[in-house]
Every structure is written in C-alpha cells, then in structure tokens.
Amino acid sequence: MTAPRVVLVGPMGVGKSTVGELVAGRLDCAFRDTDDDIVAEQGRSIADIFVDEGEPVFRAIEKRAVHTALAEHDGVLALGGGAILDADTRALLAGHTVVYLSMDVEEAVQRTGLNAARPLLAVNPRRQWRELMEARRHLYTEVARAVVATDGRTPEEVAQAVLDALELKEA
C-alpha cells in the first residue's frame, strides 16, 4: 500500500505548500497538494468552484481528491484548509503521519492579507478567520501526530521543525 510520508494540515495561508515542498526536498521525495489536484481536475480555481457550485459541491470534490491522494501518493502531501471537516477524511488520516501547521490571526493577516481571493473570508476577514479556526482547531489537533507553530518563522525554519517533530515522534 502506498502512503504519504508526511501529510500537512492547517488553515489557509499557513504555508502548507511552501513548507511541504521544502520538506519533500529534504526527504528526497515528491510533493503533492490536493488543492492543485482539484484545480487541475476541474479546470478552474477553487474560488470559482465556491462561487459557481457552492461549498457543499466543493467539499465533495475535495473529499474525493484527498482520498485519492492518500491512496496514491508516497511523498509529502498538503491538504486544503477545510479538508479535515469531513469525518471520513479524518478517519483516513488516523493511519498517517500528519503535522498540523498552526498560526495565529495576526500572522494570517500578514501572510495572506486576508484578501477576497479566499472565498470563506470575503466579508469581515479577521472575524471569519477566527471563527473558522474556532471551528477547525480541534479537528486539526485530532488528526495530527505533531503540531508545529509557524508564527514568526521562515518556511525553512518551519520545515526543519516539521522534520524535528517527526523524529521525536518516531524515537
């Protein structure tokens, strides 16, 4: 059975793709992002899927993409910020090496600007980001073997912290 070496979860803008590529490079394996898989399969942006089809349709597409990637990919895998909302996905993640990349709202503002390109943050982005995190934080923690704070760290420092955390878990 194929399984990712590391699965990264966390909120939008935390750096899952950037850190994932760095971790994959350090582990000499491939990187895959399920958001990229969705965009390639659908031929349109995630924001467009949200606007045209609505969140429930997007979540169903996302669930399929995550389940496929978990079954096929043997490198580092980054999941979209809301992928952990699905109970079946969380159950599947239980058998994987999952790292939750965390950050606070001020860091999110600096990194993403909390702009309108994020469909779930279109109105009052700070409040919506806080509400999303209140609803999701326990789910990220539930699936994770390790939590790595990204606040005030460079992507390289976060990638090293991910590797260090996993070494501690396997020791």
Side-chain angles (χ1 to χ4, degrees):
M1 181 179 138
T2 300
R5 291 182 69 184
V6 179
V7 179
L8 299 176
V9 299
M12 59 189 87
V14 76
K16 295 180 296 287
S17 296
T18 301
V19 170
E21 288 177 0
L22 291 169
V23 171
R26 292 181 188 190
L27 294 175
D28 194 27
C29 63
F31 171 74
R32 183 170 176 175
D33 184 323
T34 58
D35 281 351
D36 292 343
D37 292 350
I38 292 166
V39 169
E41 176 195 297
Q42 296 293 310
R44 56 192 169 148
S45 72
I46 289 171
D48 285 346
I49 298 168
F50 263 83
V51 169
D52 296 343
E53 308 290 336
E55 186 175 359
V57 169
F58 171 75
R59 295 296 175 207
I61 294 166
E62 180 179 53
K63 178 179 178 175
R64 287 192 309 273
V66 170
H67 288 226
T68 298
L70 287 171
E72 294 177 353
H73 187 65
D74 62 0
V76 176
L77 179 63
L79 305 187
I84 46 78
L85 294 172
D86 180 75
D88 293 336
T89 298
R90 290 194 308 276
L92 272 181
L93 289 172
H96 295 279
T97 303
V98 180
V99 177
Y100 163 31
L101 299 181
S102 69
M103 71 177 169
D104 68 22
V105 70
E106 296 312 317
E107 188 86 3
V109 169
Q110 289 177 358
R111 290 186 190 184
T112 68
L114 296 180
N115 60 33
R118 308 279 186 177
L120 292 179
L121 301 178
V123 179
N124 196 343
R126 281 179 191 252
R127 189 188 82 223
Q128 288 180 299
W129 193 89
R130 280 191 179 102
E131 289 173 0
L132 282 174
M133 284 309 299
E134 286 171 15
R136 295 177 181 182
R137 185 174 287 109
H138 72 283
L139 299 175
Y140 293 133
T141 303
E142 174 187 320
V143 301
R145 281 197 194 172
V147 178
V148 173
T150 64
D151 303 285
R153 289 177 159 172
T154 67
E156 292 77 13
E157 290 169 335
V158 175
Q160 187 59 53
V162 167
L163 294 173
D164 291 347
L166 294 178
E167 289 171 5
L168 290 173
K169 289 292 180 184
E170 295 172 4

